[in-house]
């Protein structure tokens, strides 16, 4: 069993405050550091603008376990280019036209950012017959699909006591367990939204 966390290749050394901010984001952070809170993910009770922690052109490489695809050498050849497909095939000991053997491919998550040309990603070597599984906390997983806004939508959509209780329970657990969720709730005025949602369905909780 092996583990793989997020990995980035940055062209220049980082100052201490940037490293502290990256550490506070935690192991489950999935992003390219282009919209980071200056408060290191901690809310001070007010709204704060999000800034780019690292300039786009200084990010050369970014790999995330969840950003993986099961491709073949032939698909890589069609989707990207012949040179990369030939290089990957040579490393795996396959033909450059192989279309049956699955290849676990980790996409370069910063390939779309501004700056010079970047590599397409990385192929996992020696993975045949191995299952890939990515385990993450629920509170951290929600940050990838909208954050607390998703749970606020569930609160607003509740039409009975049971669904309202379940939605608020999930929201409370997420906010209590994730500093990023608390910061996001402050930024989008989530507490005010939940209060208005309660007022609109007050008859259900009486």
């Amino acid at each position: 069993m092996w583990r793989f966390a997020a990995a980035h290749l940055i062209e220049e050394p980082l100052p201490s405050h940037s490293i502290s901010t990256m550490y506070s984001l935690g192991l489950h952070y999935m992003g390219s550091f282009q919209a980071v809170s200056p408060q290191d993910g901690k809310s001070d009770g007010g709204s704060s603008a999000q800034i780019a922690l690292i300039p786009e052109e200084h990010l050369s490489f970014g790999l995330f376990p969840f950003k993986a695809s099961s491709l073949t050498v032939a698909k890589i050849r069609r989707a990207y280019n012949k040179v990369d497909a030939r290089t990957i095939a040579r490393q795996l000991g396959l033909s450059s036209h192989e279309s049956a053997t699955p290849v676990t491919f980790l996409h370069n998550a910063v390939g779309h950012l501004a700056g010079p040309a970047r590599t397409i990603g990385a192929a996992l070597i020696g993975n045949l017959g191995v299952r890939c599984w990515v385990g993450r906390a629920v509170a951290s997983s929600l940050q990838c699909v909208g954050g607390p806004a998703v749970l606020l939508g569930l609160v607003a959509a509740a039409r009975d006591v049971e669904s309202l209780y379940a939605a608020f329970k999930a929201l409370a657990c997420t906010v209590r367990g994730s500093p990023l969720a608390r910061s996001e709730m402050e930024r989008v005025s989530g507490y005010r939204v939940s209060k208005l949602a309660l007022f609109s369905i007050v008859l259900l909780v009486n």
Side-chain angles (χ1 to χ4, degrees):
M1 181 177 180
W2 55 272
R3 294 183 178 182
F4 178 78
H8 290 86
L9 178 62
I10 305 169
E11 291 185 354
E12 62 178 19
L14 297 176
S16 58
H17 65 84
S18 296
I19 296 175
S20 175
T21 302
M22 294 171 67
Y23 179 81
S24 68
L25 292 174
L27 295 175
H28 297 296
Y29 174 75
M30 298 296 175
S32 53
F33 306 106
Q34 299 304 303
V36 179
S37 172
Q39 280 79 25
D40 300 348
K42 300 176 182 178
S43 175
D44 60 353
S47 60
S48 59
Q50 294 182 331
I51 61 173
L53 191 63
I54 303 171
E56 292 185 9
E57 60 273 10
H58 292 165
L59 277 169
S60 300
F61 204 69
L63 295 178
F64 300 105
F66 80 98
K67 197 173 177 60
S69 300
S70 182
L71 305 175
T72 63
V73 176
K75 288 182 179 179
I76 296 174
R77 182 187 182 95
R78 290 194 299 268
Y80 295 100
N81 56 70
K82 297 179 181 179
V83 176
D84 290 321
R86 192 180 302 115
T87 302
I88 293 173
R90 184 166 57 250
Q91 293 293 330
L92 297 176
L94 301 173
S95 168
S96 59
H97 297 278
E98 175 66 45
S99 60
T101 304
V103 177
T104 300
F105 186 76
L106 299 174
H107 302 271
N108 186 3
V110 300
H112 64 286
L113 298 180
R118 298 175 173 91
T119 179
I120 61 174
L124 184 60
I125 299 177
N127 68 304
L128 298 181
V130 177
R131 294 183 178 181
C132 296
W133 177 77
V134 179
R136 299 187 62 203
V138 175
S140 300
S141 300
L142 281 173
Q143 294 300 126
C144 299
V145 294
V150 176
L151 299 177
L152 289 173
L154 293 178
V155 171
R159 289 297 176 265
D160 53 59
V161 176
E162 289 78 11
S163 59
L164 181 64
Y165 173 80
F168 260 106
K169 182 71 172 179
L171 180 62
C173 291
T174 300
V175 172
R176 187 164 55 243
S178 173
L180 285 176
R182 291 195 292 270
S183 177
E184 185 70 8
M185 284 287 286
E186 293 284 353
R187 190 181 70 84
V188 301
S189 301
Y191 300 107
R192 184 179 302 175
V193 172
S194 60
K195 180 180 178 181
L196 293 175
L198 272 179
F199 280 151
S200 65
I201 53 178
V202 65
L203 294 178
L204 297 178
V205 295
N206 287 336

